[in-house]
Amino acid sequence: MAALSTLILLLCAAKDVMPSSPHWKPTWPSYRVPVILPQSTLNLDKPQFDAEARLEVVSPCGPACHKSSPLPTYEEVKNYLSYETLYANGSLTETEVGIYILNNGGDGSRGRSRTKRQIYGYDSRFSIFGKDFLLNYPFSTSVKLSTGCTGTLVAEKHVLTAAHCIHDGKSYVKGAQKLRVGFLKPKQKDGSKGSNITNSAMPEKMKFQWIRVKRTHVPKGWIKGNANDIGMDYDYALLELKKPHKRKFMKIGVSPPARHLPGGRIHFSGYDNDRPGNLVYRFCDVKDETYDLLYQQCDAQPGASGSGVYVRMWKRQNHKWERKIIGIFSGHQWVDMNGTPQDFNVAVRITPLKYAQICYWIKGNYLDCREG
């Protein structure tokens, strides 16, 4: 156990982070990324697709609960990062993985659902209207899942989202076999006036163009039990589309500590279900963090689950500013803070191990996944 703790500390070490420098600007750190490779693949029985799609996951286990949980063993970490792959024809496989060089892990915290509340005081969300915004980066990277959640474009044919949008922890949700991803586009209507008006009273008419999903990867850390019983540490999934989407996508990156984020703030856009057909953008401060989770109070509603949480920082190697996804918006948590209920919205952090796994899912070559 001591050896595992040491390896985790080494994985957390990042180079080129100097927030005390007078000329410092928020800079993407260089992380020591491990290698995760498939070891064996087993064919499973076809799933039943009988779970109801849930647009959020709730858990009362907060920062103190997660921080006090014991570290998993090396074998447990390998099991959590092994994964199921669901194909469009309904076939299902399970892939065991090996972890090399360095490793870390999350915890399997437990909790039960409680009343939800995801708006904190004044609603600070912004509905994005007009094709000049919706079709431009970074808003154009947000897509809608046919199960009701949000996803983010992270490669030419890949979408990052929350695992609970596909699987409830016990079974795949209805519609997962015929999962589609929707791209918001303006309706073609000749003779329409005011098409560039971004006033909420006269938004431009938009529609979704859908692309089928070829296959879906979900980590076993999510599948091993009911979602509310294992926490949110592994609430992420990667979708591979049947054809390229031809839009600019956003790269993934290892999540820096909250104190190194620009202003300690995160951003994400999603399709909240209380504003149907609208893309909703928000930003807020991070209130607390664990190794696997970011706790914040960004205003959000079900439907925003699966949104890519991103920040913009300086990329020293390329001498330019760059946005990267550092987490996946998961859902809501009630936390007992010294006997007083406190609620947070929670995002799953992209740790070095999760980066290595997701990057390998995308690229299929660990040599392209050595720098987070």
Side-chain angles (χ1 to χ4, degrees), residues 305-318:
S305 295
S307 302
V309 173
Y310 64 86
V311 294
R312 180 176 177 267
M313 298 174 68
W314 181 254
K315 185 71 171 178
R316 181 167 297 169
Q317 297 89 327
N318 299 338

Side-chain angles (χ1 to χ4, degrees), residues 2 7 18 32 39-40 49 61 71 77 110 115-116 124 143 195 238 284 308 313 338 341 350 372:
L7 289 175
M18 300 177 293
R32 301 173 183 176
Q39 298 296 293
S40 62
F49 303 103
C61 184
L71 288 171
V77 173
R110 293 176 169 81
T115 305
K116 65 185 180 184
S124 60
V143 292
S195 59
L238 187 76
C284 68
M313 298 174 68
N338 299 320
I350 297 180

